[in-house]
Amino acid sequence: MYDQITQNVRRLLGEIPPYVTVVAAAKTRTPDEIRAAIDGGVSIIGENYVQEAARTKIELGNSDRLGAEATLHYIGHLQLNKVKKAVEIFDVIETVDTKRLADELNAQAKRINKVLPVLIEINIAGEPQKAGVMPDQLPELALYLDSLPNLRLQGLMTMGPRLEESGLRKYFAETKRLLGSIGQLGLPNSDLLYLSMGMSNSYRIAIEEGANLIRLGTAIFGERA
């Protein structure tokens, strides 16, 4: 399994453009599986759960694998009561979608004298059951984040609806357009560097539509047992 994961990562890195970075979506994966992904060349580990990430950081941090070789991105829905620990653990939060969450992240980052990079999660298809800011509310949230001294807005993230790959194209294209639109707001404290979209079943289309962060789980680790 270790060798297969390493080979999967090397193959993927050989296929995608050099400006695209892989986020290894490591939900429920073991430290050994994550080590294999890092050995293959992954430089970002994406976690959905704060407690799981804390255990991973302890195990891999003790061997200098996280920090020296890979950084941690939070890619799940972040509950307010988990923010304090998340700010301590993660290098980037990709799923900011409310002012209230932004305020708590900013306060906790200030507490430890940290400037925390964040992405806004956008609910691009307006699905009521999903997290993410609605597209029409994006400018207001982007302006608000830009005003918070301990957060640094760096782009957008979207999950996209559950559709076949070809059906996602218009949603990815719209997310890219929205990134451009907030770039026109004149945000002096933001660096709009990243468009995080596309997963194992959709990353090719996402890259074609402008993604430079892709979140891959099954394509790296295989199906869960």
Side-chain angles (χ1 to χ4, degrees), residues 8 12 25 29 200-201 215-224:
N8 288 345
L12 287 162
R29 303 299 180 174
S200 292
N201 66 334
R215 306 181 307 275
L216 306 183
T218 303
I220 290 174
F221 300 107
E223 297 288 347
R224 291 185 180 86

Side-chain angles (χ1 to χ4, degrees), residues 101-176:
L101 176 57
D103 283 337
E104 187 63 21
L105 287 166
N106 185 67
Q108 293 300 332
K110 182 178 180 180
R111 178 181 60 84
I112 61 173
N113 194 32
K114 180 177 184 177
V115 176
L116 180 67
V118 299
L119 307 184
I120 292 175
E121 180 178 5
I122 186 162
N123 187 339
I124 192 60
E127 297 173 278
Q129 75 279 16
K130 282 190 177 178
V133 67
M134 295 299 174
D136 62 342
Q137 298 170 342
L138 173 62
E140 181 181 356
L141 183 57
L143 286 163
Y144 190 73
L145 282 169
D146 191 69
S147 74
L148 298 176
N150 288 84
L151 301 184
R152 176 73 66 175
L153 177 60
Q154 292 197 330
L156 299 182
M157 177 267 216
T158 193
M159 296 289 292
R162 289 184 176 274
L163 297 172
E164 293 297 321
E165 186 177 21
S166 59
L168 287 167
R169 186 180 292 277
K170 67 177 182 179
Y171 295 105
F172 290 155
E174 177 63 7
T175 306
K176 174 67 182 297

